[in-house]
Amino acid sequence: AQRVTQPEKLLSVFKGAPVELKCNYSYSGSPELFWYVQYSRQRLQLLLRHISRESIKGFTADLNKGETSFHLKKPFAQEEDSAMYYCALSVTGGGNKLTFGTGTQLKVEL
Amino acid sequence: GAVVSQHPSWVICKSGTSVKIECRSLDFQATTMFWYRQFPKQSLMLMATSNEGSKATYEQGVEKDKFLINHASLTLSTLTVTSAHPEDSSFYICSALKEPEQYFGPGTRLTVT
């Protein structure tokens, strides 16, 4: 079965500092990877997916199949980036089902 | 847009009673919806996939007779927690699939006393 690991429960950085939220996965096939974000008192929303290779709100994530990782990065953290971030995976033929990691709370301090 | 609502946003019920949670896609049709459960400070755990016009598909370990799912229309799926017990207290979140993305509802906080 597939698994998503986010090793950090909490990540605290200063405004303007680089951010890297780690995500590793285990799956023998070719997965599709996602990052979801949940701002305070708001619903979960998609931030980005590896297939689209977009940069959203300054965030990027590259799928590294060799390291089975999909780390989320941003060069300069902003206060409004403070939120809960979840890495998720879906598998081909899996009916669009998502397997979520445990999440990382990002806190950007002034 | 793609907006998903849930009702109620929170509910308190007594042990042994049943409670129904609704999930609606407001501006699109969704043949597939998903139900998740989230424990405090933990991740979302997929409970079941709700398919319009057919039986739901439950994940391993989820009791189908306890968590009844009905997807009677293209915009509504319901989750009924039957004979609720305190251990069923949790945050229940639904999502609706509008290819290729899942859109999430705001969640329902269930407290069983």
Side-chain angles (χ1 to χ4, degrees):
Chain A
Q2 58 272 18
R3 189 171 200 168
V4 178
T5 302
Q6 293 180 251
E8 303 143 327
K9 283 192 173 181
L10 173 65
L11 181 65
S12 186
V13 301
F14 286 106
K15 179 182 175 180
V19 175
E20 183 178 48
L21 300 169
K22 290 183 167 45
C23 172
N24 288 88
Y25 66 91
S26 62
Y27 177 61
S28 55
S30 291
E32 185 169 358
L33 274 296
F34 307 81
W35 276 100
Y36 283 83
V37 61
Q38 187 169 29
Y39 299 102
S40 180
R41 301 183 187 277
Q42 294 187 29
R43 67 189 68 197
L44 202 64
Q45 57 186 282
L46 179 66
L47 180 62
L48 53 80
R49 52 196 299 165
H50 90 269
I51 283 182
S52 59
R53 301 186 67 83
E54 292 174 301
S55 173
I56 306 293
K57 299 185 179 182
F59 285 98
T60 58
D62 291 317
L63 179 61
N64 185 322
K65 292 186 178 181
E67 296 183 356
T68 60
S69 69
F70 188 57
H71 302 328
L72 183 68
K73 299 177 183 179
K74 184 170 182 176
F76 308 103
Q78 302 298 315
E79 192 179 358
E80 55 266 28
D81 296 330
S82 295
M84 191 73 174
Y85 292 81
Y86 292 96
C87 184
L89 171 156
S90 71
V91 302
T92 305
N96 298 102
K97 293 194 291 186
L98 291 170
T99 300
F100 282 88
T102 49
T104 298
Q105 180 73 47
L106 174 65
K107 184 177 180 183
V108 180
E109 299 184 78
L110 298 175
Chain B
V3 182
V4 176
S5 69
Q6 280 184 243
H7 179 79
S9 55
W10 60 271
V11 58
I12 301 173
C13 70
K14 291 188 175 182
S15 188
T17 63
S18 295
V19 62
K20 181 186 286 188
I21 302 170
E22 294 184 348
C23 177
R24 292 182 186 274
S25 55
L26 299 183
D27 51 1
F28 66 101
Q29 294 182 329
T31 56
T32 303
M33 294 184 176
F34 301 91
W35 286 97
Y36 296 85
R37 184 171 177 176
Q38 186 176 34
F39 292 99
K41 299 189 178 182
Q42 294 190 33
S43 187
L44 284 79
M45 182 193 77
L46 179 65
M47 298 175 65
T49 303
S50 172
N51 302 294
E52 188 269 336
S54 64
K55 290 183 179 180
T57 305
Y58 291 81
E59 295 301 301
Q60 193 172 12
V62 178
E63 300 176 60
K64 63 176 75 174
D65 294 330
K66 180 165 187 62
F67 298 100
L68 300 179
I69 291 172
N70 187 298
H71 194 153
S73 79
L74 287 171
T75 59
L76 174 64
S77 174
T78 60
L79 169 68
T80 301
V81 184
T82 62
S83 186
H85 288 97
E87 56 265 32
D88 298 325
S89 298
S90 193
F91 196 56
Y92 293 87
I93 302 172
C94 75
S95 71
L97 181 65
K98 182 182 179 183
E99 292 278 7
E101 187 174 335
Q102 286 188 36
Y103 292 86
F104 287 81
T108 296
R109 170 77 57 195
L110 170 63
T111 302
V112 184
T113 61

